[in-house]
Each structure stands twice: as C-alpha cells, then as structure tokens.
Amino acid sequence: MFKPTVGPIIGHTTTHHTRIFLRGDLQKKDSVFAAIRYRRIGDTQWSSGIFAELDPLRDLSNVIALHHLHADTHYEYQAGWFGTDGTKPSPEALRQMPLQWPKEVYRFHTTSSEITTPRSYIVGSCRYLRMTLGVPSLPSKGDKIFGAINRLVQKSWPPVSALIMTGDQVYVDDMNLVSPDREYREILDKYRAAFSQPHIQALMASVPTYMILDDHEIEDNWPAKANSNDAALYRNAMAAYEIYQASHSPAHESLTEGQPALELKHYWYRFAQGDTEWFVTDSRTRRNLAVDDRRILDADQEQALLEWLINSPARVKFLVTSVMFYPDSKSDDGDAWKAFPEQRLRILETIRIHKIKNVVIVSGDVHGSMTSRLRYSEDPDFEVHTIVSSPFCNSAWLPYAKASNFILDQPLVQTATGDYRLELTSKVISQDNFAHLTVDVEKIRVEYRDSNGDYLDAVNLALHIPL
C-alpha cells in the first residue's frame, strides 16, 4: 500500500461517527482502492480494513465513513491506497488481501456527549499559496501558520474540537493578471498542492475540518464579474470544490452503508457539538444580483437559517458567513453584506424580535481580524457579536485591513423604531493570524495568534446565562 497523495483529512465528526477523505493515484489500468483501519488508543487489535474504490472522475479520491465509534474517545488509524491486478475484486476478496499498511499512524478524537463541556475551535480563512507553472511558490510561507496551529492543538485545553475554514482555502485566480487557471486539471493541481503541504496535512489528519468556499475558489468577487465565458470556469471550480472541500462535510447526508451520498443538494450545512451549534452558510454561489430581489443567500437557505435561529435549542449559535456581515467597509465593491441590506436586516430583526441570545457571527475575507458587538438603541437586551479571522497567509500583492477601512462612527442600520450600532471589542489585526475560540459557560474567549503561534490579542465575549 502507498501513503495517500492528499490526506487523510478528518471531516465531519460526531460522538459516534467520522468521515475521512483521502486520494490515491493511477496505477496502470488497474482498479484503485483506498483502505483505512482503526482502533481505540490503548487497544492492540486493529479493525478490519474498510475499503472504497477511487474513481478517476473524483480525482482518484473518496471518503470513508466510520460508524459505531465511542463518544469522547481517542482513536488511531492507518490509511493508504493500492491497485489491484486485472479484474475488480469482490468485497470479500479485498478483505482477504495481505496488505502492507503504511507505517504512518494518525489520531482523531470523537466529540464529547457532555452537553455543557467547554469546547475550543480554530477559525481562519484566506490561505494564499501562489502557483507558478503548476508549482507552489514559497510553499513554506503558505504552510507555516498550520505548524503553529498544530503546536497549539497539542497543548490546548479544552481539546480543539474542530478547524473551521471560512473561505479562500485555495486561490484558483492567483495568477489572473498573467495566466488565469480555468481548466479542471489546473484547479485540481491547486487543491492537491494546497492540501498536501506538511503542516496543513498533519493538522487535517487529526482535527475535524469544516470548510466553506468564498470567491477565490472560483474568481475574485464572484459572481459580480461573471460573463458568458465563465460557465466552464464555474463548472470546473465547483467540481473540484465538491471533491476536496464539500465531500467530507455535513452537506452530504450519510447512507446506511456508511458512504456519503454523491448528490449535493446545497453547500450550506449545520453541525452541533453539545450546546454549541454552527450554521455554515453558502454566501457565494446562491447570490441573486437582480435589483428587485438582491440576495446573498437564496430564499431556501435564508428560510432554513431563520428557522434555525428561532428553533435551535443550542445555547450558543455560531453563524458562519465567508464575507463580512459587519462592520461595513468604507469601500463599496458590492461584495459583502453591506450590498444586501434588506436580507441582513431580516436576519437581525429575527434575532431581536425573537429575543435570541448568544448569536455569534463568524467570517473572514477582509485580510484583517477583529471582534465587534452590535446593539440596538431601543432594546438593551439585544446583542450580537462578530468574530472575523483572516488571513492565514496573505499575498504580497494584497493589503491588510486596518480599522480606518471600516465604518465605525455611524449606525449599521437605521430603522423606523431604532438604530443598530456597533463597536469594536478588539483591535484590528493587520497581519497573518488565526483565531482560537474557547466556549465556556459564561464566555467565549477569542485569542488571535500569529504565524509563529505567538499571542496577538484576546477578548472575552460574555454569554447570556438563562435565569
């Protein structure tokens, strides 16, 4: 057996289930299979091998789902791929094969079933890994911060429950001014290079990773600049996105035999851990730019989001949107929520009217990080926090955001009955960074750290505690 050429990547993980992505490679004209075996740490007996065929139509990748796991338990696993001679073997023949497993042993941890146990998360976005003639330029720069995250994961308490990547995990359009990548093979090369660098590979092999796309997975400010020639670009970009980012996410429903369904109804999804729940929106591919009904989220997604806000029993609700919900930028490129004020107001009014507590909006995109708080002038009980974390690794061609880039001295929204006003609750960080979130009973602690893992800033966001 051979080591995976990309992965393994631990995806959606619950108390009793996890999904593991991996990619192999071609081997003449033989059938190619991936295999995983696992055991609880401390046990001596490995499970039987679990196999999945690797299809060239999915870039020789697949996702293997493990079921009937134990909650809050550390597991170790081995993963690899191999080719078979001649005809495709039966499942029984696969199980009887004398396999030589790769020596690498990876670890993952299932979710705790305790409702109120403290949890921590890593949040970030915008990882620039420029490709020149198909080869990453200065790959260690684009991978450095993930080494720092790995070191933090090793010592963090509470343990890191998930890595949340909120957009621009790859820059398909990094060379747009010179030689834009538009072909399917070129885009697949971007993903293979981005996800196989040593530090990010080690991180994603052990920490459940949840992703959602932003514009650079397709094209800058998509779809505002789209034209009739971009249909193939979009088709190619989304096919690659579905393989490398969506395949191991909760957007796929799980089948009884353990394999995620191939058909995706949409890219947005939800997942819960104890009394903390995440709604990860697709604020990029379902936009409507028509003047009479501008939407950043399609109607079905908005309805699902509002119903979740109102009905979810979660004590803490994280709403992920790849682009900034607030504060608004002084520039107006029509790309963020500022350009969709009616839909934004509907969400805010739902939170206020239904008196929904502990809503935290998480985003990236702007190449600057900060926390801020939104209040309503006529309702002292209304409060919504936002956490922005960006970038993991910036391009030398792109500026970092500063506080002076944002509108902070006037209401976000003025309504007939009152004003929504915001204030920064942290400094604006203008360098490569990531956020470490710890959710406790009384607060969410947000720590920003640089690409070496060194402390930059921290803030405690108070949580409402029911009487």
Side-chain angles (χ1 to χ4, degrees), residues 4 57 71 109 131 154 174-175 188 199-200 218 243 262-263 265 284 309 350 380 434:
L57 294 178
H109 183 203
M131 300 278 286
Q154 297 306 312
D174 61 349
M175 298 294 284
L188 290 176
H199 292 312
I200 193 173
I218 310 167
I243 291 171
L262 293 179
E263 182 181 358
K265 297 177 181 178
R284 187 55 65 180
L309 286 168
T350 298
F434 65 92

Side-chain angles (χ1 to χ4, degrees), residues 165-176:
M165 304 179 79
T166 67
D168 297 340
Q169 280 68 256
V170 298
Y171 279 66
V172 168
D173 61 346
D174 61 349
M175 298 294 284
N176 259 8

Side-chain angles (χ1 to χ4, degrees), residues 19 30 36 46 80 95 190 222 228 244 272 340 368 400 414 443 446:
R19 301 171 182 186
D30 297 342
I36 286 174
W46 289 102
R95 287 191 288 271
K190 288 275 176 69
W222 181 268
S228 58
Y244 280 97
F340 304 86
Y400 291 99
Q414 293 179 295
K443 66 182 184 296
V446 183

Side-chain angles (χ1 to χ4, degrees), residues 92-128:
E92 180 61 29
L94 284 172
R95 287 191 288 271
Q96 297 300 320
M97 282 186 173
L99 297 173
Q100 181 82 31
W101 290 85
K103 64 179 181 179
E104 286 77 13
V105 177
Y106 311 95
R107 294 185 172 191
F108 69 89
H109 183 203
T110 53
T111 303
S112 170
S113 59
E114 294 293 326
I115 298 299
T116 59
T117 189
R119 301 174 193 273
S120 74
Y121 302 92
I122 302 297
V123 172
S125 63
C126 306
R127 188 277 190 99
Y128 188 83

Side-chain angles (χ1 to χ4, degrees), residues 11 53 84 169:
E53 188 169 6
T84 61
Q169 280 68 256

Side-chain angles (χ1 to χ4, degrees), residues 149-405:
I149 297 172
N150 271 320
R151 293 191 294 273
L152 186 147
V153 166
Q154 297 306 312
K155 63 182 183 181
S156 175
W157 194 97
V160 173
S161 296
L163 167 66
I164 316 294
M165 304 179 79
T166 67
D168 297 340
Q169 280 68 256
V170 298
Y171 279 66
V172 168
D173 61 346
D174 61 349
M175 298 294 284
N176 259 8
L177 296 177
V178 180
S179 177
D181 288 331
R182 304 177 69 86
E183 300 302 321
Y184 184 53
R185 283 289 141 195
E186 295 172 331
I187 297 171
L188 290 176
D189 285 344
K190 288 275 176 69
Y191 275 101
R192 294 173 192 163
F195 289 174
S196 61
Q197 300 305 311
H199 292 312
I200 193 173
Q201 189 277 328
L203 177 64
M204 294 194 301
S206 60
V207 177
T209 302
Y210 295 83
M211 307 176 184
I212 194 66
L213 80 162
D214 198 21
D215 54 340
H216 292 290
E217 272 91 353
I218 310 167
E219 182 178 71
D220 185 36
N221 283 11
W222 181 268
K225 301 175 183 177
N227 57 51
S228 58
N229 297 321
D230 285 336
L233 165 64
Y234 181 75
R235 183 173 60 251
N236 293 336
M238 299 319 297
Y241 172 78
E242 291 187 9
I243 291 171
Y244 280 97
Q245 297 199 53
S247 63
H248 45 81
S249 84
H252 278 289
E253 297 178 0
S254 185
L255 299 179
T256 54
E257 61 265 30
Q259 292 300 319
L262 293 179
E263 182 181 358
L264 268 175
K265 297 177 181 178
H266 45 68
Y267 298 134
W268 51 269
Y269 58 85
R270 292 164 41 185
F271 70 97
Q273 297 183 338
D275 61 0
T276 298
E277 191 165 6
W278 298 73
F279 193 114
V280 181
T281 66
D282 170 12
S283 56
R284 187 55 65 180
T285 74
R286 298 295 187 96
R287 296 187 178 204
N288 184 353
L289 303 182
V291 175
D292 59 345
D293 186 27
R294 287 183 61 81
R295 290 177 174 273
I296 195 169
L297 310 179
D298 59 284
D300 288 345
Q301 185 177 182
E302 179 184 345
Q303 184 63 31
L305 171 59
L306 298 182
E307 290 177 358
W308 170 75
L309 286 168
I310 295 168
N311 298 322
S312 169
R315 184 177 64 92
V316 180
K317 299 179 177 70
F318 286 107
L319 166 57
V320 176
T321 169
S322 58
V323 294
M324 288 271 284
F325 198 82
Y326 69 84
D328 287 339
S329 173
K330 290 179 180 178
S331 64
D332 190 5
D333 59 6
D335 193 55
W337 281 87
K338 177 183 179 182
F340 304 86
E342 293 85 1
Q343 191 170 50
R344 177 168 65 178
L345 181 58
R346 289 196 296 271
I347 295 170
L348 292 175
E349 290 283 83
T350 298
I351 296 170
R352 183 179 68 83
I353 292 169
H354 289 270
K355 299 186 180 301
I356 303 167
K357 305 301 182 185
N358 301 333
V359 176
V360 182
I361 300 171
V362 178
S363 60
D365 182 54
V366 296
H367 293 213
S369 294
M370 73 204 83
T371 64
S372 58
R373 176 171 51 205
L374 191 67
R375 294 185 180 274
Y376 190 70
S377 62
E378 305 306 312
D379 185 353
D381 291 333
F382 174 86
E383 182 179 66
V384 171
H385 292 282
T386 188
I387 300 170
V388 182
S389 183
S390 167
F392 282 129
C393 181
N394 203 8
S395 163
W397 298 348
L398 300 172
Y400 291 99
K402 305 182 293 292
S404 59
N405 297 138

